[in-house]
Amino acid sequence: MSLLKILTYPDPILKRPSLPVKGNPQDLKRLVEDMFQTMYQAPGVGLAAPQVGRNIRLFVVDVSSHQENAGPMVFINPEILEGEGLIIWEEGCLSVPDMLVEVSRMEKVLMAGQDLSGKRFQIKAEGLLAIALQHELDHLDGRLIIDKVSSLKRELYRRRRLKEAARASA
Ligand code: ZN
């Protein structure tokens, strides 16, 4: 296993809509293992493939540090079938460092996806898991929490990030 580089805003790969996974998902086993390791090390509770430079519809989550009955999970080609309620949570993102954004999400969701063997499954989620699933699904559509703040706040953040990136590479 190896740690992957987590891309950060404003990297254009994060804005690109990701493509469905076709063929044998087993080929993604290594990537998934690396994504879990990268996520735990960060640490974070979710990581989507575009965050590590792959524009495919795949993410991993593990909210077991915050919620019972929620261990490591892999979602390939995920979609939300049903949702209800409203919950507002201050979210962070490994690709949007040093920023917390209040985001409103559906409180409960029914999500479908495929696992690494290609088998389709559904999961009912609520609380932090429901939030994490919607946050990661957003990544696959090129949406970030920073898109949910005012354009002025976003521009100031973008400049700060570019300055920090320039300093880091100097
Ligand atoms: Zn994120």
Side-chain angles (χ1 to χ4, degrees):
M1 283 195 281
S2 50
L3 287 178
L4 304 168
K5 183 181 184 304
I6 299 177
L7 304 180
T8 55
Y9 180 83
D11 192 299
I13 288 177
L14 294 168
K15 296 298 301 168
R16 228 174 266 162
S18 290
L19 296 171
V21 173
K22 291 189 180 126
N24 187 356
Q26 271 298 322
D27 298 342
L28 299 168
K29 194 166 178 276
R30 175 72 198 272
L31 173 66
V32 166
E33 285 172 359
D34 289 347
M35 283 173 65
F36 271 116
Q37 197 193 16
T38 304
M39 177 182 81
Y40 290 131
Q41 209 263 340
V45 298
L47 190 67
Q51 293 181 275
V52 293
R54 298 283 301 273
N55 280 117
I56 55 173
R57 301 188 76 80
L58 158 72
F59 65 72
V60 299
V61 292
D62 185 348
V63 300
S64 57
S65 54
H66 297 73
Q67 199 168 332
E68 282 176 37
N69 307 321
M73 290 180 234
V74 183
F75 287 83
I76 296 168
N77 299 328
E79 53 183 328
I80 289 177
L81 302 179
E82 288 168 25
E84 63 176 68
L86 183 74
I87 185 169
I88 296 172
W89 194 269
E90 199 167 56
E91 295 181 23
C93 179
L94 296 174
S95 293
V96 187
D98 306 318
M99 175 67 102
L100 290 172
V101 179
E102 271 196 355
V103 183
S104 55
R105 305 276 190 193
M106 289 180 284
E107 193 182 8
K108 294 179 182 175
V109 294
L110 175 64
M111 186 174 263
Q114 285 167 271
D115 65 18
L116 266 179
S117 68
K119 208 174 85 192
R120 289 188 63 81
F121 67 94
Q122 293 184 4
I123 184 168
K124 274 185 186 159
E126 57 180 75
L128 184 63
L129 180 59
I131 291 167
L133 295 180
Q134 293 169 81
H135 177 115
E136 300 312 325
L137 186 61
D138 269 357
H139 274 296
L140 305 186
D141 294 321
R143 284 195 296 268
L144 299 171
I145 54 171
I146 194 71
D147 298 324
K148 300 179 192 285
V149 303
S150 70
S151 53
L152 173 66
K153 203 173 171 190
R154 185 162 55 246
E155 178 57 20
L156 290 173
Y157 179 73
R158 195 180 69 89
R159 283 188 213 169
R160 179 150 63 92
R161 291 300 308 160
L162 291 174
K163 215 178 279 175
E164 276 166 20
R167 202 179 304 140
S169 63

